[in-house]
Structures are given as C-alpha cells and as structure tokens.
C-alpha cells in the first residue's frame, strides 16, 4: 500500500450485534478521530445472513475483500478483535449463547478465524471492549482505574483495575445491571427493581408505561401518548424530548432514573474506588436530565473520600465507540502487550 510505513501494522475489528454487524480495518497509530483510526467499515444485517456460520462466512469474505482492496496481506495485520454481547468465554474465544443472537450456541469464533487468517484473535464482551476503547482512546486516557457503563438498551460495566482489564473468574465481572436496587420496579436482566431495570433504555420505557397507565386509569391528564393503544410505543428518546420540552411526567421519569443511577454509582465508588466512571449511550445524550439527581444521590450515599477521588463523565467516543471497541482489542492485546508487557491479562 502506497505511503505505508515499513513497520506499520493495521488491525481488523468485528462488531457483532443482534441486528447488524460490522467488519473494520483500523490504524492503531492513527491518533485521534475516527477518520484516521477507522480506515474502512463494512456493515451487514446479522439476522438476514442465515445463522452463525453464514454470518462468519460473510465476515471472512469481507476481511479478504478489504485486504485485497488495500493491497495488504495478513503480515500487515496485528490481529483481529471481536466485540460481542455475552455470555462468552474470552479466554477460549467462544460465543456461548447471547440473548440477542439466537442460535449462537458455543461458537468457537476465535479458532475459526484464527485458522482462516493465521492471526491472533481476541474476543471480549461489548462492555469490556468499550471500556478498553475509552481507556486507550477516549475519556479514560491516563487513568489506571476506570469503570465504563454501557447504559443503552441494557446496562453493563467494563472494569479497568490497576491498569488491566478485569474479567473475573468466569468472564462475568461487571454485570452490575443484575444488582437489585429496589424490591419493586421495572424489570431488567430478568430481575424486578434491578439497576438495569431503572437505568437502561428498556427500563426508562417501562417506567414511562407504568406512570402513564397510572394516570390514564386515574383519569389524570398526560401528554406522553394518546391513549392505551400507544403505550408500547413509548421509548427513552421520545421521553427525553418531552422532558426537554418541559413535560413534568417525562422529567419525573428521568429524575427517578437519575436517582437510581446515583445509588448505583455510589455502590461502584465504594466497592472499587475508581478514578473515573465513563457512561455511554443514553447518558451521553441525556446527561442534563440525569446528572443533577445522580450527582446529589451519589455524593450523599458514597464515602466522601472515595467520591472526591472519582469523576463521572460521558463517553468520549460517541457513536463510533463500537468501531473503536472492536479495533482496539487487536491493537491492545497483540500490539502494546508485546511492546510494553501491559496486556488485557
């Protein structure tokens, strides 16, 4: 490839989602900005591809296509990084049966792609991958103790502790969405009143439906939906828009979410004593609706010294975080680990 440095190495990233997947070519030395780091991206619909083996075959084809178009060989590639929802076995590289990927039962994707390309392959759940991405290229740069919270459709955490990605004994560390915050409340992660139930897109929608239904059945006015038939259409984005317009019920819903977020943050601060907590997705877009309540509760509930040592910020990589997450796994596991001895562990 013209203009490529002699020692230049690229990374291949694969972001596997329940609806869409992406294959990417990246430049780990490209510096800030997706336009320099992300050199090529091909997206396809996961479920239309015909099951896990057909999806993996499509990934192989796209990787070969991208390498050929760029004039690259596998010798120019440092490794392949795969970001996917769990549960999975990161050490063995097996996708075990994610709820958003029906039929993906015990798929040895690391072995399959490793044999195809003769490259090292890293597999991590999406929360861990995003944590590494924000740590290396986003808001977490320069910190050794970082927590990343997904706060999207669901809620999970990726943990960087003492400068290393912490997975736990069975790849289940960071499943904070399963923690019960209240005896009753919206259901998340299969548990009523869980952290995910209160602090996720699905949870915000549930709270809105409960609040609107309560008002309708009591003959009270509300402007979030036209009637009972529209309850299922309520979503976190529309409720945020209504809150920004001054709708009192929408503001109340985000207040409840923010207060529970504050309680969850206090728990994480007290247990893990992080330097920084980075929150993605909904928090990025709705920080102004959530943080005033979350900050108040966090400071009240957490140990003062621990809270004072920690900052809470929105994710910096924005809509590109999934792309960075997949690409950085290869660079981090197989590039910097060899150069510095500081790998994922």
């Amino acid at each position: 490839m013209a203009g490529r440095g002699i020692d230049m190495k690229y990374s291949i990233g694969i972001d596997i989602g329940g609806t869409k997947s992406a294959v990417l070519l990246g430049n780990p030395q490209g510096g800030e900005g997706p336009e320099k780091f992300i050199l090529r991206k091909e997206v396809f619909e996961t479920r239309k591809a015909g099951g896990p083996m057909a999806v993996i075959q499509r990934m192989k084809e796209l990787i070969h296509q991208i390498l050929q178009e760029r004039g690259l060989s596998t010798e120019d590639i440092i490794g392949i990084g795969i970001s996917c929802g769990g549960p999975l076995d990161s050490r063995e590289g097996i996708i075990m049966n994610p709820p958003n990927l029906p039929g993906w039962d015990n798929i040895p994707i690391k072995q399959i792609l490793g044999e195809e390309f003769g490259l090292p392959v890293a597999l991590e759940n999406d929360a861990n991958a995003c944590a590494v991405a924000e740590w290396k290229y986003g808001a977490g740069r320069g910190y050794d103790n970082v927590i990343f919270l997904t706060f999207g459709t669901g809620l999970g955490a990726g943990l960087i502790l003492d400068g290393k990605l912490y997975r736990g004994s069975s790849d289940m560390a960071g499943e904070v969405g399963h923690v019960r915050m209240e005896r009753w409340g919206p259901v998340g992660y299969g548990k009523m009143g869980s952290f995910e139930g209160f602090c996720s897109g699905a949870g915000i929608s549930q709270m809105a439906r409960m609040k609107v239904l309560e008002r309708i059945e009591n003959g009270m006015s509300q402007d979030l939906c036209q009637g009972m038939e529209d309850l299922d259409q309520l979503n976190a984005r529309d409720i945020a828009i209504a809150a920004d317009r001054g709708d009192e019920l929408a503001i109340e819903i985000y207040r409840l979410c923010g207060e529970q977020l504050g309680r969850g943050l206090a728990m994480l601060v007290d247990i893990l004593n992080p330097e920084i907590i980075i929150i993605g997705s909904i928090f990025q877009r709705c920080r102004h609706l959530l943080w005033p309540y979350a900050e108040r509760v966090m400071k009240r509930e957490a140990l003062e010294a621990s809270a004072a040592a920690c900052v809470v910020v929105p994710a910096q990589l924005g809509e590109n975080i999934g792309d960075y997450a997949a690409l950085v796994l290869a660079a981090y596991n197989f590039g910097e680990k060899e150069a510095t001895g500081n790998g994922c562990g």
Side-chain angles (χ1 to χ4, degrees):
M1 181 178 174
R4 185 171 74 241
I6 293 174
D7 297 323
M8 185 65 173
K9 287 283 189 176
Y10 297 84
S11 60
I12 295 290
I14 299 173
D15 184 13
I16 304 175
T19 304
K20 294 182 179 180
S21 293
V23 174
L24 306 110
L25 176 70
N27 171 14
Q29 300 166 328
E32 296 183 24
E35 70 282 352
K36 294 182 179 179
F37 186 87
I38 301 165
L39 302 176
R40 180 71 187 278
K41 179 178 179 178
E42 289 287 340
V43 180
F44 62 96
E45 295 190 25
T46 309
R47 291 184 182 174
K48 285 191 176 180
M53 292 302 108
V55 172
I56 293 171
Q57 181 59 35
R58 182 62 178 145
M59 292 171 187
K60 292 179 184 178
E61 293 169 357
L62 288 171
I63 293 171
H64 282 298
Q65 176 186 321
I66 290 169
L67 293 180
Q68 183 178 8
E69 290 176 358
R70 290 271 173 169
L72 300 172
S73 72
T74 54
E75 293 180 358
D76 298 302
I77 306 299
I78 202 168
I80 299 172
I82 306 170
S83 172
C84 181
L88 50 79
D89 183 333
S90 65
R91 292 173 178 83
E92 297 298 324
I94 298 172
I95 299 173
M96 298 175 70
N97 58 340
N100 66 333
L101 291 170
W104 288 66
D105 300 325
N106 299 315
I107 304 298
I109 193 165
K110 177 177 178 178
Q111 177 185 341
I112 294 169
L113 294 180
E115 290 175 355
E116 177 75 12
F117 296 101
L119 290 168
V121 180
L123 172 68
E124 292 289 349
N125 73 54
D126 46 7
N128 283 354
C130 288
V132 174
E134 281 286 342
W135 177 42
K136 303 302 286 185
Y137 291 96
R141 284 176 295 180
Y143 294 97
D144 288 329
N145 295 288
V146 179
I147 298 175
F148 175 81
L149 294 178
T150 57
F151 205 150
T153 303
L155 181 76
L159 308 174
I160 307 295
L161 304 178
D162 289 334
K164 293 183 180 180
L165 175 64
Y166 180 74
R167 302 184 184 94
S169 58
S170 60
D171 261 333
M172 295 297 286
E175 299 295 352
V176 298
H178 194 245
V179 174
R180 195 186 299 278
M181 309 295 286
E182 302 284 355
R183 291 183 62 193
W184 308 102
V187 177
Y189 216 132
K191 183 182 285 186
M192 184 176 290
S194 66
F195 196 180
E196 180 173 285
F198 283 104
C199 297
S200 65
I204 290 169
S205 298
Q206 286 184 61
M207 283 191 283
R209 287 194 292 271
M210 289 189 290
K211 291 286 185 181
V212 168
L213 180 60
E214 181 182 37
R215 290 203 172 196
I216 289 174
E217 292 193 346
N218 282 287
M220 300 168 65
S221 63
Q222 56 79 34
D223 296 320
L224 289 182
C225 70
Q226 297 299 310
M228 299 280 282
E229 65 278 2
D230 296 323
L231 276 175
D232 289 340
Q233 304 304 313
L234 289 170
N235 60 60
R237 180 178 180 274
D238 290 340
I239 298 158
I241 291 171
D244 284 335
R245 288 198 310 261
D247 185 285
E248 292 183 5
L249 182 56
I251 293 170
E252 168 71 3
I253 292 163
Y254 271 89
R255 179 188 68 80
L256 290 171
C257 177
E259 289 177 347
Q260 294 294 344
L261 175 61
R263 291 187 65 196
L265 292 175
M267 173 185 64
L268 293 171
V269 164
D270 283 349
I271 294 172
L272 296 174
N273 193 200
E275 298 164 277
I276 186 170
I277 298 176
I278 304 165
I279 314 179
S281 196
I282 291 172
F283 188 79
Q284 287 173 238
R285 299 187 292 271
C286 302
R287 185 179 186 276
H288 61 292
L289 297 173
L290 294 164
W291 184 237
Y293 307 110
E295 182 181 31
R296 186 183 311 140
V297 173
M298 187 187 85
K299 287 185 174 179
R300 184 183 70 222
E301 297 285 334
L303 291 167
E304 184 177 356
S306 298
C310 179
V311 293
V312 179
V313 300
Q316 193 176 91
L317 299 179
E319 299 303 318
N320 296 107
I321 191 168
D323 301 336
Y324 275 94
L327 286 167
V328 77
L329 291 176
Y332 177 56
N333 272 13
F334 311 123
E336 297 175 18
K337 183 175 182 179
E338 294 174 0
T340 68
N342 181 23
C344 284

